[in-house]
Amino acid sequence: MEVFVSGAVSSSRYPLVAVAAAALAAPLVLSGPAHAEPAAYTVTPLKFTVQAGGRSCVVDADLYRPAGVDADRPAPAVLATNGFGGSKSDGSTDAIGKAVAARGYVGLVYSSLGFGRSGCLITLDDPAIDGRAASGLLDFLGGIRAADDGTRADYVVRDGEGDPRVGMIGGSYGGAIQLATASTDPRVDALVPLITWNDLAYALAPNNTGAHTGVTSDTPGVFKWQWTNGFYLIGEGQPLLNPSLDPSRFNRLDCLHFAAQACETIRLLNSGRFPADRTRAMLDYARSVSPVSYLDRVKAPTLIIQGQADSLFNLNEATATYKTLKAQGTTAKMIWQSWGHSGGQVPGELDLSEGNLETSYVGRRVLAWFDRYLQKKTDTDTGPEFSYYRSWQDGYGTAAQLPALSQQMYLSGDGKLVDNRSKVVRGSRQYTNWLVPTSHSESSIAPLIGLPDPKPYDTKGTYLGWRSAPLTAPLDVVGAPKATLKVVSPKAERVQNSGDASDKLVLFAKVYDVAPDGTRTLVNRLVSPVRVPDVTRPFTVELPGIVHRYEKGHRLEFVIAASDTAYFGNRGIKPVTVVSAPEDTGVLELPVVPAG
């Protein structure tokens, strides 16, 4: 059945993850040129039977065909799918099809495997399964195959036999699928992944120290239980949220809707124990379904968009993907916008409810990307290599490359954060963890499902802080700070080599902005979980990337806390001492850009 549509495009305000809403992320809305009348288009529901992961899966999709597009006047296509927990019928996902069709593209929007009315299990955007399923839809756009009802798309621009000119766009789960698809199918011509991950092992159990490849650490991380269990409930609730008789949607009774390895990974994380043999299998699986393991096969030009307010997939994930693509010669640019999974929408930024691409910085960049790589307008300026949202100037800063670590500060024994090692005072300070969390940082799913979310706090005696002197000029930090630390914890030292990584010391690093009146603001409510590889050696912590101006008269505070409410913590009581001396002290490095 075809539905004839003509009118404006709208969608949800911004992407959210919520059990109640069953939506992890919203993709971007595209709209027609400013002041132009939106084009008419038809919408045709289609089914595609594809082979993926040894199963026969039915994919539920909607085809958006602009009026006037036919075999004699073909158009490029845009393929998109939903965020975790959503479907093709989401207000935000559905809006992609409407918007690209209104702009003259052929849109194909589908429900990901395991969601909506698409069959098979949730495999977390596995390239060998979800990526292959998306390739079946590219076959349709390229004229190789028909939909199950015989419908064919003979009006898509082709770059070769069976090769459609096609871009992909979407957020979070709908962002990673783009990279997974491009890694298995070179026919994809342009990617615009928003607020997605580089490594699920890092996203769900982050560790910001140890030997790193991108965001990946060799030491198991600290379980991010709030977000992860939210995913699990959304995934397992799919048969109730979207009733279906398709038997391919059901797995064993103790793990109804996820692929077995995905469930086993979540169960191991929830156990709080990480024995070496099981932990390696967990990390290997999480990374096998993550871009970190297959980016070397992604060649399509990629515009990476990540949110500064995002405690689920922080800026470090996007940075790792960007650096990998650039190093291998793949065309890539990166934008850090204000909003992510943790909110952050501000006036003037891209607002999905308005579809304000022509009037928002990020929107214009997306349109230019598709103009360049789908319309083949070779003179199109796709913008600078790197852009970041500056709340203090209500606009974007740009740079030819990511800012480097350029300013060092030192942890003094008297609790001060000083700008010269010679100012370090000799001394030691100690904190102790409790058996319950005593710090609160991140804002995750609680406020999205109506639960109270207190302001960030740290309980006296369970954290240490170092404060700078009042700043004599504004300080603009753009990027991920880094701290080199050394702690003393005899209790942790005695058990850290037990063979179970969960016996190692856990701590949380973060940076605050302290106003002249003493008000503390945790920048973007982000924290850096650390499972210390070896407390007898110095270790380096990479904090989440931030974009923040410390105003004149404010102080910068670096904090180490014993616990955090959004994460699992230490097993047992592990007191920690930090010793400072001019010749041997902790160092905080900041990526600072010139103010203004």
mmCIF file of all heavy atoms in Angstrom, residues 204-234:
data_model
loop_
_atom_site.group_PDB
_atom_site.id
_atom_site.type_symbol
_atom_site.label_atom_id
_atom_site.label_comp_id
_atom_site.label_asym_id
_atom_site.label_seq_id
_atom_site.Cartn_x
_atom_site.Cartn_y
_atom_site.Cartn_z
ATOM 1 N N LEU A 204 30.132 0.100 28.355
ATOM 2 C CA LEU A 204 29.350 -0.568 29.395
ATOM 3 C C LEU A 204 30.177 -0.887 30.637
ATOM 4 O O LEU A 204 29.604 -1.057 31.721
ATOM 5 C CB LEU A 204 28.734 -1.856 28.843
ATOM 6 C CG LEU A 204 27.861 -1.686 27.587
ATOM 7 C CD1 LEU A 204 27.246 -3.012 27.198
ATOM 8 C CD2 LEU A 204 26.786 -0.630 27.813
ATOM 9 N N ALA A 205 31.487 -0.984 30.497
ATOM 10 C CA ALA A 205 32.360 -1.239 31.647
ATOM 11 C C ALA A 205 33.660 -0.483 31.435
ATOM 12 O O ALA A 205 34.718 -1.073 31.209
ATOM 13 C CB ALA A 205 32.617 -2.731 31.825
ATOM 14 N N PRO A 206 33.613 0.839 31.509
ATOM 15 C CA PRO A 206 34.784 1.644 31.136
ATOM 16 C C PRO A 206 35.946 1.511 32.112
ATOM 17 O O PRO A 206 35.756 1.377 33.320
ATOM 18 C CB PRO A 206 34.230 3.083 31.139
ATOM 19 C CG PRO A 206 33.046 3.029 32.060
ATOM 20 C CD PRO A 206 32.461 1.666 31.898
ATOM 21 N N ASN A 207 37.129 1.536 31.554
ATOM 22 C CA ASN A 207 38.333 1.698 32.347
ATOM 23 C C ASN A 207 39.202 2.706 31.634
ATOM 24 O O ASN A 207 39.548 2.518 30.473
ATOM 25 C CB ASN A 207 39.085 0.381 32.524
ATOM 26 C CG ASN A 207 40.199 0.505 33.551
ATOM 27 O OD1 ASN A 207 40.158 1.380 34.408
ATOM 28 N ND2 ASN A 207 41.186 -0.354 33.472
ATOM 29 N N ASN A 208 39.545 3.764 32.315
ATOM 30 C CA ASN A 208 40.268 4.862 31.679
ATOM 31 C C ASN A 208 41.751 4.860 32.004
ATOM 32 O O ASN A 208 42.407 5.888 31.938
ATOM 33 C CB ASN A 208 39.615 6.184 32.091
ATOM 34 C CG ASN A 208 38.238 6.330 31.479
ATOM 35 O OD1 ASN A 208 38.087 6.639 30.316
ATOM 36 N ND2 ASN A 208 37.208 6.068 32.281
ATOM 37 N N THR A 209 42.268 3.675 32.351
ATOM 38 C CA THR A 209 43.703 3.538 32.543
ATOM 39 C C THR A 209 44.145 2.207 31.974
ATOM 40 O O THR A 209 43.339 1.414 31.510
ATOM 41 C CB THR A 209 44.088 3.642 34.024
ATOM 42 O OG1 THR A 209 45.508 3.737 34.142
ATOM 43 C CG2 THR A 209 43.601 2.445 34.814
ATOM 44 N N GLY A 210 45.436 1.949 31.984
ATOM 45 C CA GLY A 210 45.967 0.722 31.403
ATOM 46 C C GLY A 210 46.441 0.972 29.992
ATOM 47 O O GLY A 210 46.483 2.100 29.499
ATOM 48 N N ALA A 211 46.820 -0.101 29.293
ATOM 49 C CA ALA A 211 47.262 0.002 27.905
ATOM 50 C C ALA A 211 46.040 0.200 27.021
ATOM 51 O O ALA A 211 45.112 -0.598 27.056
ATOM 52 C CB ALA A 211 48.022 -1.257 27.518
ATOM 53 N N HIS A 212 46.031 1.255 26.229
ATOM 54 C CA HIS A 212 44.860 1.617 25.450
ATOM 55 C C HIS A 212 45.087 1.472 23.946
ATOM 56 O O HIS A 212 46.159 1.734 23.431
ATOM 57 C CB HIS A 212 44.450 3.072 25.722
ATOM 58 C CG HIS A 212 43.650 3.259 26.959
ATOM 59 N ND1 HIS A 212 44.196 3.145 28.210
ATOM 60 C CD2 HIS A 212 42.328 3.541 27.144
ATOM 61 C CE1 HIS A 212 43.257 3.364 29.115
ATOM 62 N NE2 HIS A 212 42.121 3.601 28.494
ATOM 63 N N THR A 213 44.043 1.029 23.258
ATOM 64 C CA THR A 213 43.922 1.159 21.819
ATOM 65 C C THR A 213 42.638 1.931 21.585
ATOM 66 O O THR A 213 41.542 1.395 21.749
ATOM 67 C CB THR A 213 43.854 -0.218 21.129
ATOM 68 O OG1 THR A 213 45.009 -0.971 21.468
ATOM 69 C CG2 THR A 213 43.757 -0.047 19.625
ATOM 70 N N GLY A 214 42.749 3.192 21.250
ATOM 71 C CA GLY A 214 41.550 4.032 21.216
ATOM 72 C C GLY A 214 41.045 4.227 22.629
ATOM 73 O O GLY A 214 41.767 4.722 23.498
ATOM 74 N N VAL A 215 39.821 3.815 22.898
ATOM 75 C CA VAL A 215 39.296 3.867 24.263
ATOM 76 C C VAL A 215 39.435 2.525 24.962
ATOM 77 O O VAL A 215 38.982 2.357 26.098
ATOM 78 C CB VAL A 215 37.809 4.287 24.281
ATOM 79 C CG1 VAL A 215 37.652 5.742 23.898
ATOM 80 C CG2 VAL A 215 36.973 3.391 23.373
ATOM 81 N N THR A 216 40.023 1.554 24.307
ATOM 82 C CA THR A 216 40.060 0.188 24.812
ATOM 83 C C THR A 216 41.217 -0.011 25.781
ATOM 84 O O THR A 216 42.355 0.300 25.475
ATOM 85 C CB THR A 216 40.195 -0.810 23.643
ATOM 86 O OG1 THR A 216 39.070 -0.661 22.787
ATOM 87 C CG2 THR A 216 40.244 -2.235 24.142
ATOM 88 N N SER A 217 40.913 -0.578 26.959
ATOM 89 C CA SER A 217 41.925 -0.866 27.968
ATOM 90 C C SER A 217 42.107 -2.366 28.111
ATOM 91 O O SER A 217 41.157 -3.141 27.976
ATOM 92 C CB SER A 217 41.512 -0.282 29.322
ATOM 93 O OG SER A 217 42.391 -0.714 30.345
ATOM 94 N N ASP A 218 43.329 -2.789 28.405
ATOM 95 C CA ASP A 218 43.600 -4.205 28.624
ATOM 96 C C ASP A 218 43.092 -4.689 29.978
ATOM 97 O O ASP A 218 42.948 -5.886 30.192
ATOM 98 C CB ASP A 218 45.109 -4.476 28.539
ATOM 99 C CG ASP A 218 45.632 -4.381 27.116
ATOM 100 O OD1 ASP A 218 44.805 -4.460 26.195
ATOM 101 O OD2 ASP A 218 46.849 -4.222 26.935
ATOM 102 N N THR A 219 42.854 -3.764 30.900
ATOM 103 C CA THR A 219 42.333 -4.124 32.213
ATOM 104 C C THR A 219 40.816 -3.995 32.204
ATOM 105 O O THR A 219 40.287 -2.974 31.761
ATOM 106 C CB THR A 219 42.915 -3.199 33.305
ATOM 107 O OG1 THR A 219 44.337 -3.298 33.295
ATOM 108 C CG2 THR A 219 42.401 -3.603 34.680
ATOM 109 N N PRO A 220 40.062 -5.016 32.653
ATOM 110 C CA PRO A 220 38.595 -4.906 32.684
ATOM 111 C C PRO A 220 38.155 -3.654 33.415
ATOM 112 O O PRO A 220 38.836 -3.158 34.321
ATOM 113 C CB PRO A 220 38.172 -6.174 33.437
ATOM 114 C CG PRO A 220 39.284 -7.134 33.202
ATOM 115 C CD PRO A 220 40.534 -6.307 33.156
ATOM 116 N N GLY A 221 37.001 -3.148 33.028
ATOM 117 C CA GLY A 221 36.562 -1.865 33.541
ATOM 118 C C GLY A 221 35.632 -1.944 34.734
ATOM 119 O O GLY A 221 35.575 -2.947 35.452
ATOM 120 N N VAL A 222 34.890 -0.868 34.951
ATOM 121 C CA VAL A 222 33.998 -0.714 36.094
ATOM 122 C C VAL A 222 32.567 -0.727 35.551
ATOM 123 O O VAL A 222 32.221 0.098 34.706
ATOM 124 C CB VAL A 222 34.292 0.599 36.834
ATOM 125 C CG1 VAL A 222 33.437 0.693 38.093
ATOM 126 C CG2 VAL A 222 35.782 0.699 37.183
ATOM 127 N N PHE A 223 31.749 -1.633 36.017
ATOM 128 C CA PHE A 223 30.441 -1.875 35.427
ATOM 129 C C PHE A 223 29.525 -0.659 35.556
ATOM 130 O O PHE A 223 29.228 -0.189 36.654
ATOM 131 C CB PHE A 223 29.796 -3.088 36.092
ATOM 132 C CG PHE A 223 28.443 -3.450 35.542
ATOM 133 C CD1 PHE A 223 28.166 -3.352 34.186
ATOM 134 C CD2 PHE A 223 27.451 -3.914 36.387
ATOM 135 C CE1 PHE A 223 26.927 -3.700 33.685
ATOM 136 C CE2 PHE A 223 26.209 -4.262 35.887
ATOM 137 C CZ PHE A 223 25.941 -4.160 34.534
ATOM 138 N N LYS A 224 29.041 -0.170 34.408
ATOM 139 C CA LYS A 224 28.093 0.950 34.338
ATOM 140 C C LYS A 224 26.685 0.354 34.416
ATOM 141 O O LYS A 224 25.989 0.181 33.420
ATOM 142 C CB LYS A 224 28.308 1.705 33.022
ATOM 143 C CG LYS A 224 27.580 3.022 32.914
ATOM 144 C CD LYS A 224 27.728 3.638 31.519
ATOM 145 C CE LYS A 224 29.124 4.131 31.242
ATOM 146 N NZ LYS A 224 29.225 4.827 29.927
ATOM 147 N N TRP A 225 26.247 0.061 35.638
ATOM 148 C CA TRP A 225 25.068 -0.786 35.803
ATOM 149 C C TRP A 225 23.768 -0.095 35.406
ATOM 150 O O TRP A 225 22.826 -0.748 34.908
ATOM 151 C CB TRP A 225 24.978 -1.301 37.240
ATOM 152 C CG TRP A 225 24.610 -0.263 38.268
ATOM 153 C CD1 TRP A 225 25.459 0.504 38.995
ATOM 154 C CD2 TRP A 225 23.291 0.086 38.669
ATOM 155 N NE1 TRP A 225 24.758 1.338 39.827
ATOM 156 C CE2 TRP A 225 23.415 1.099 39.656
ATOM 157 C CE3 TRP A 225 22.008 -0.327 38.311
ATOM 158 C CZ2 TRP A 225 22.319 1.684 40.272
ATOM 159 C CZ3 TRP A 225 20.905 0.255 38.927
ATOM 160 C CH2 TRP A 225 21.071 1.246 39.902
ATOM 161 N N GLN A 226 23.646 1.210 35.604
ATOM 162 C CA GLN A 226 22.373 1.866 35.308
ATOM 163 C C GLN A 226 22.043 1.804 33.822
ATOM 164 O O GLN A 226 20.965 1.358 33.423
ATOM 165 C CB GLN A 226 22.395 3.316 35.790
ATOM 166 C CG GLN A 226 22.295 3.464 37.292
ATOM 167 C CD GLN A 226 22.112 4.911 37.714
ATOM 168 O OE1 GLN A 226 22.040 5.822 36.889
ATOM 169 N NE2 GLN A 226 22.049 5.141 39.009
ATOM 170 N N TRP A 227 22.976 2.259 32.996
ATOM 171 C CA TRP A 227 22.721 2.238 31.559
ATOM 172 C C TRP A 227 22.575 0.808 31.044
ATOM 173 O O TRP A 227 21.667 0.495 30.260
ATOM 174 C CB TRP A 227 23.865 2.914 30.810
ATOM 175 C CG TRP A 227 23.832 4.403 30.772
ATOM 176 C CD1 TRP A 227 24.793 5.258 31.261
ATOM 177 C CD2 TRP A 227 22.830 5.260 30.188
ATOM 178 N NE1 TRP A 227 24.449 6.565 31.026
ATOM 179 C CE2 TRP A 227 23.241 6.593 30.372
ATOM 180 C CE3 TRP A 227 21.620 5.001 29.551
ATOM 181 C CZ2 TRP A 227 22.497 7.671 29.923
ATOM 182 C CZ3 TRP A 227 20.871 6.078 29.104
ATOM 183 C CH2 TRP A 227 21.305 7.394 29.285
ATOM 184 N N THR A 228 23.480 -0.089 31.459
ATOM 185 C CA THR A 228 23.490 -1.442 30.913
ATOM 186 C C THR A 228 22.213 -2.189 31.243
ATOM 187 O O THR A 228 21.615 -2.862 30.393
ATOM 188 C CB THR A 228 24.703 -2.221 31.440
ATOM 189 O OG1 THR A 228 25.888 -1.472 31.192
ATOM 190 C CG2 THR A 228 24.819 -3.576 30.764
ATOM 191 N N ASN A 229 21.759 -2.110 32.475
ATOM 192 C CA ASN A 229 20.537 -2.812 32.852
ATOM 193 C C ASN A 229 19.310 -2.169 32.219
ATOM 194 O O ASN A 229 18.304 -2.842 31.980
ATOM 195 C CB ASN A 229 20.410 -2.871 34.372
ATOM 196 C CG ASN A 229 21.389 -3.865 34.972
ATOM 197 O OD1 ASN A 229 21.755 -4.839 34.332
ATOM 198 N ND2 ASN A 229 21.831 -3.616 36.191
ATOM 199 N N GLY A 230 19.386 -0.873 31.923
ATOM 200 C CA GLY A 230 18.313 -0.248 31.162
ATOM 201 C C GLY A 230 18.200 -0.870 29.776
ATOM 202 O O GLY A 230 17.105 -1.176 29.292
ATOM 203 N N PHE A 231 19.362 -1.093 29.128
ATOM 204 C CA PHE A 231 19.365 -1.770 27.830
ATOM 205 C C PHE A 231 18.725 -3.149 27.930
ATOM 206 O O PHE A 231 17.920 -3.554 27.092
ATOM 207 C CB PHE A 231 20.794 -1.972 27.327
ATOM 208 C CG PHE A 231 21.493 -0.725 26.922
ATOM 209 C CD1 PHE A 231 22.872 -0.687 26.889
ATOM 210 C CD2 PHE A 231 20.795 0.394 26.552
ATOM 211 C CE1 PHE A 231 23.542 0.454 26.508
ATOM 212 C CE2 PHE A 231 21.449 1.534 26.163
ATOM 213 C CZ PHE A 231 22.828 1.567 26.146
ATOM 214 N N TYR A 232 19.144 -3.889 28.947
ATOM 215 C CA TYR A 232 18.669 -5.264 29.095
ATOM 216 C C TYR A 232 17.146 -5.305 29.229
ATOM 217 O O TYR A 232 16.473 -6.109 28.577
ATOM 218 C CB TYR A 232 19.333 -5.904 30.307
ATOM 219 C CG TYR A 232 18.897 -7.325 30.548
ATOM 220 C CD1 TYR A 232 19.415 -8.360 29.770
ATOM 221 C CD2 TYR A 232 17.971 -7.633 31.532
ATOM 222 C CE1 TYR A 232 19.015 -9.673 29.978
ATOM 223 C CE2 TYR A 232 17.565 -8.937 31.747
ATOM 224 C CZ TYR A 232 18.092 -9.952 30.970
ATOM 225 O OH TYR A 232 17.681 -11.247 31.177
ATOM 226 N N LEU A 233 16.599 -4.427 30.042
ATOM 227 C CA LEU A 233 15.150 -4.410 30.242
ATOM 228 C C LEU A 233 14.417 -4.013 28.959
ATOM 229 O O LEU A 233 13.374 -4.569 28.625
ATOM 230 C CB LEU A 233 14.789 -3.448 31.372
ATOM 231 C CG LEU A 233 15.243 -3.870 32.772
ATOM 232 C CD1 LEU A 233 14.976 -2.766 33.779
ATOM 233 C CD2 LEU A 233 14.543 -5.158 33.190
ATOM 234 N N ILE A 234 14.968 -3.040 28.238
ATOM 235 C CA ILE A 234 14.347 -2.631 26.978
ATOM 236 C C ILE A 234 14.382 -3.792 25.987
ATOM 237 O O ILE A 234 13.381 -4.098 25.327
ATOM 238 C CB ILE A 234 15.072 -1.414 26.382
ATOM 239 C CG1 ILE A 234 14.857 -0.174 27.255
ATOM 240 C CG2 ILE A 234 14.572 -1.127 24.969
ATOM 241 C CD1 ILE A 234 15.714 1.008 26.850
#
